[in-house]
């Protein structure tokens, strides 16, 4: 499959997916937000995939308009970055989304 | 001069110095904290210096014990990262330090 199909399958088959960079504090913040909610996201560290990492980042930009990390999906839906996810949490909208996606 | 001497001279001669990475949100946060206080730090983007960037990062670790970015100095004194600088600000201790270092 193409990288694009791989991303589409990954986000469809996993309740929560975080495309991340291992040394990035914003990526760590969103990972610990999910861990605090007893959710185990599928985490893909783009910086640990060699050349495929930057290819994936370009595919994510094409599919979502977002090049930056962290890039978060819940229930197959593109959520955005760290600030978007934190905002949803603060508005009480994140947990219902996680429940609906059977992430807990 | 060695890279170590260069760093020592840079932090001694500039009131506020931020070693940063241009695409890092924590680095941007600390830069905007200073800009909001009408302080223009000397910003060194480690990712824009080629091989010297990672050498500088190693020298900073040797001199300060801190490898991560942002790496902040005020009045020649090592402050720490983004969270350290924000904490000092929240405690009301950052502005007096900036005034003492003639940063404003
Ligand atoms: N507001 C966004 C900021 C995202 C952002 O700027 N991420 C940086 C790293 S912290 C990035 O991806 N920079 C480009 C790159 O690393 O390739 C969020 O909360 O996720
Ligand atoms: N708590 C620290 C966190 C610093 C940190 O982990 N920085 C990351 C980037 S956000 C880093 O330098 N990682 C290793 C690297 O990028 O070389 C701070 O507030 O500055
Ligand atoms: S690389 Fe610094 S916050 Fe992401």
């Amino acid at each position: 499959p193409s990288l694009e199909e791989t991303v589409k399958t990954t986000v469809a088959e996993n309740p929560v997916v975080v495309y991340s960079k291992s040394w990035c504090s914003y990526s760590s913040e969103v990972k610990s937000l999910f861990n605090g909610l007893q959710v185990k996201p599928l985490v893909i560290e783009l910086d640990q995939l060699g050349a495929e990492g930057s290819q994936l980042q370009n595919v994510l930009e094409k599919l979502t308009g977002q090049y930056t990390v962290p890039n978060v999906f819940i229930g197959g839906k593109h959520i955005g970055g760290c600030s978007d996810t934190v905002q949803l949490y603060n508005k009480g909208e994140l947990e219902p989304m996680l429940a609906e996606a059977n992430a807990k």
Side-chain angles (χ1 to χ4, degrees), chain A:
Chain A
S2 70
L3 265 188
E4 218 169 295
E5 278 157 37
T6 308
V7 169
K8 285 180 180 161
T9 312
T10 303
V11 301
E13 291 181 353
N14 295 282
V16 183
V17 181
V18 176
Y19 290 91
S20 165
K21 287 190 181 175
S22 60
W23 33 256
C24 164
S25 300
Y26 264 40
S27 298
S28 318
E29 272 185 30
V30 91
K31 285 183 270 186
S32 35
L33 173 62
F34 286 127
N35 291 340
L37 298 171
Q38 278 74 48
V39 167
K40 292 213 179 329
L42 174 69
V43 175
I44 295 159
E45 302 289 2
L46 295 176
D47 60 306
Q48 296 180 344
L49 301 173
E52 196 181 312
S54 54
Q55 287 165 6
L56 263 174
Q57 208 169 347
N58 291 332
V59 165
L60 286 165
E61 181 174 32
K62 197 173 149 205
L63 292 175
T64 67
Q66 181 186 326
Y67 176 73
T68 58
V69 290
N71 201 331
V72 179
F73 294 80
I74 299 175
K77 200 168 144 266
H78 178 239
I79 300 299
C82 174
S83 36
D84 305 306
T85 310
V86 168
Q87 251 166 33
L88 280 177
Y89 174 68
N90 291 339
K91 290 192 301 197
E93 294 173 25
L94 186 67
E95 290 182 85
M97 261 186 175
L98 291 169
E100 204 184 306
N102 291 327
K104 294 235 191 187

